[in-house]
Amino acid sequence: MTRSQLIFEDSYARAVPELSLSWQAAEVPDPHLLVFNDDLARELGADPDLLRKDLALLSGQPRPGVRTVAQAYAGHQFGSYSPRLGDGRALLLGEVIDPAGDRHDLHLKGSGRTPFARGGDGKAAVGPMLREYLMGEAMHALGIPTTRGLSVVSTGESIYRERMLPGAILCRVAASHLRVGTFQYAAAQGEIKVMRALADYAIARHYPQATQAKSPYLGLLENVVAVQAQLLASWMLVGFVHGVMNTDNMTISGQTIDYGPCAFIDSYHPATVFSSIDHAGRYALGNQPAAAQWNLARLGEALLPLVDEDLNAAVEAATEILLGFAPRYREALSAGMAAKVGLGQPAPELTDDLLQLLSEEKVDYTGFFRALAAGTAREHFTQPEAFDRWNQRRLVLLAGDEPTEAMNRINPVYVPRNHRVEEALEAATAGDLAPFHRLLEALTHPYVERPDFQDLAEPPPAGAAPHVTYCGT
Ligand code: AMP
Ligand code: MG
């Protein structure tokens, strides 16, 4: 059997042994590679031709001596605290150091039940694992920090999700799998030693500069606040709705993680919700920044005992840092929105008014910005006069030619349109991967318009039922 030459380290399992359990993947009856990420393999320093053949590794059967672990974490799910979530159907294969010296987690999803599985079967279906792969690659190509799929392997098993579906294992690569929920879990152990070990590990791995701060733990919080403010702005700029922003699904690294019920918007409206279980709209498009801020407050709470022995002083210091989220977010959003309409300087009133216009007329969000650069945007409005008035204000600020090329470099033609994603995943589930690979190809080069991919740029037909995503992945 082919073996790849990846060397695995287990710095996390060693640094905080209290926060993971040694565990092994279930056996896989008949593994077949569905998709493999050559570029990512190269980035990791692996030979893609060797690694893609190492189905044993990619399906959770690494060579003897490699210790795989299930990570423990807690989390607020839709606001309710669960003290023990953890990797119920996932395993950390280990950490790989890339040629640039950066450390990455290799992690399996769908590799069988672990002691954290609760009622779950520990498995995952082909559709949702390909979906996570596709969404991650789309986000990566859009320049948004994200975990990425290295491979999806079908297992040869059938699993039950309201119907029988083919099973699969995703191997994903992340800067780490430290989550806000990891800190909540550590804090709940009530041993400051564990909390300190975790925080020190996170600082060393992600934010070594935080050791320069007056309190390294406040420095850690400040860095996470900063990367999450950036991340949330980048989601909003492309119209990405994560759908399940529970504290266990928010990383310390600032990467997007856990593509369950997520979806991209077609037309812009802050109340947009796709997930069938998000009845109250907690994670609606426009609530995402507030949800992120709420999650960061939970991280702040967990860190309090490390910040100061005097609880009041600790709360005061952490609060001050948390208050930095909103201005950082607004700054990143304004700058990004300005760039989308071709401006070099933030013009928050102008871009806020645009979003209002777009939501009133239900204009296709992604399509609008390309049309604006092409000079055809007014055709997207039933009452173009309001758009004309808005565009006049923009043209005054532009004071020159339409910066078409610069706009087209940052406004994608292709985002994962829900109806196209569903089509591709349905076909893949039935055994035809061609639509998936075609969509992946378009999403990997989102700014390059191609006549043969025209259908992938278009919104769903008018009158199509609103898209609904499901958590049962
Ligand atoms: P998620 O909604 O995917 O972020 O998962 C929330 C929690 O449920 C995590 O602890 C997962 O490990 C666990 N989980 C989700 N699906 C399964 C499954 N099929 N089997 C076991 N645990 C699961
Ligand atoms: Mg999760």
Side-chain angles (χ1 to χ4, degrees), residues 78 109 131-132 135 139 145-147 172 179 228 231-232 235-236 239-251 255-265 272-275 278 283-286 288 291 295 469 471:
F78 290 91
K109 196 161 171 178
R131 191 166 198 280
E132 173 151 348
M135 293 308 241
M139 294 289 266
T146 179
T147 67
R172 80 175 170 200
R179 308 149 189 265
Q228 286 292 342
L231 181 67
L232 266 289
W235 287 1
M236 299 300 281
F240 173 77
V241 181
H242 183 282
V244 61
M245 290 179 65
N246 296 334
T247 54
D248 53 305
N249 291 336
M250 180 183 263
T251 60
Q255 288 183 329
T256 311
I257 195 169
D258 278 358
Y259 294 93
C262 65
F264 278 70
I265 57 170
T272 307
V273 171
F274 296 104
S275 170
D278 191 0
Y283 301 138
L285 174 70
Q288 295 188 119
N295 291 349
T469 55
C471 241

Side-chain angles (χ1 to χ4, degrees), residues 73 77 85-89 117-118 120-123 161 248-249 258:
Y73 51 83
Q77 299 178 302
L85 292 168
D87 289 337
R89 54 160 171 177
R118 296 169 290 156
D121 62 0
K123 301 293 166 80
R161 297 283 185 275
D248 53 305
N249 291 336
D258 278 358

Side-chain angles (χ1 to χ4, degrees), residues 140-319:
H140 176 73
L142 292 168
I144 299 175
T146 179
T147 67
R148 295 176 71 188
L150 176 64
S151 59
V152 179
V153 173
S154 64
T155 60
E157 277 180 334
S158 290
I159 65 166
Y160 187 69
R161 297 283 185 275
E162 288 166 347
R163 56 182 170 140
M164 296 308 283
L165 292 170
I169 296 176
L170 168 78
C171 180
R172 80 175 170 200
V173 175
S176 83
H177 282 83
L178 299 179
R179 308 149 189 265
V180 170
T182 316
F183 283 78
Q184 292 180 289
Y185 185 90
Q189 304 309 297
E191 274 190 68
I192 189 122
K193 178 174 107 329
V194 176
M195 203 45 210
R196 185 171 287 122
L198 175 63
D200 287 344
Y201 180 83
I203 290 169
R205 185 156 172 181
H206 295 297
Y207 306 110
Q209 69 275 24
T211 50
Q212 310 296 319
K214 205 164 77 194
S215 153
Y217 306 112
L218 287 176
L220 171 63
L221 183 61
E222 185 157 27
N223 277 282
V224 181
V225 165
V227 293
Q228 286 292 342
Q230 283 289 339
L231 181 67
L232 266 289
S234 64
W235 287 1
M236 299 300 281
L237 290 170
V238 297
F240 173 77
V241 181
H242 183 282
V244 61
M245 290 179 65
N246 296 334
T247 54
D248 53 305
N249 291 336
M250 180 183 263
T251 60
I252 297 305
S253 68
Q255 288 183 329
T256 311
I257 195 169
D258 278 358
Y259 294 93
C262 65
F264 278 70
I265 57 170
D266 290 304
S267 57
Y268 179 90
H269 197 289
T272 307
V273 171
F274 296 104
S275 170
S276 64
I277 59 168
D278 191 0
H279 306 294
R282 181 181 174 93
Y283 301 138
L285 174 70
N287 281 351
Q288 295 188 119
Q293 204 174 13
W294 193 91
N295 291 349
L296 290 165
R298 307 288 79 74
L299 176 64
E301 269 165 17
L303 289 169
L304 288 178
L306 296 178
V307 169
D308 202 309
E309 277 173 18
D310 173 353
L311 185 62
N312 287 331
V315 169
E316 202 175 308
T319 303

Side-chain angles (χ1 to χ4, degrees), residues 19 24 62 147 263 298 302 320 324 331 354 365 384 407 413 438 457:
L19 300 185
Q24 269 152 24
T147 67
R298 307 288 79 74
E320 197 185 315
E331 194 183 321
L354 171 66
Y365 183 75
M407 287 164 75
V413 187
R438 179 169 179 263

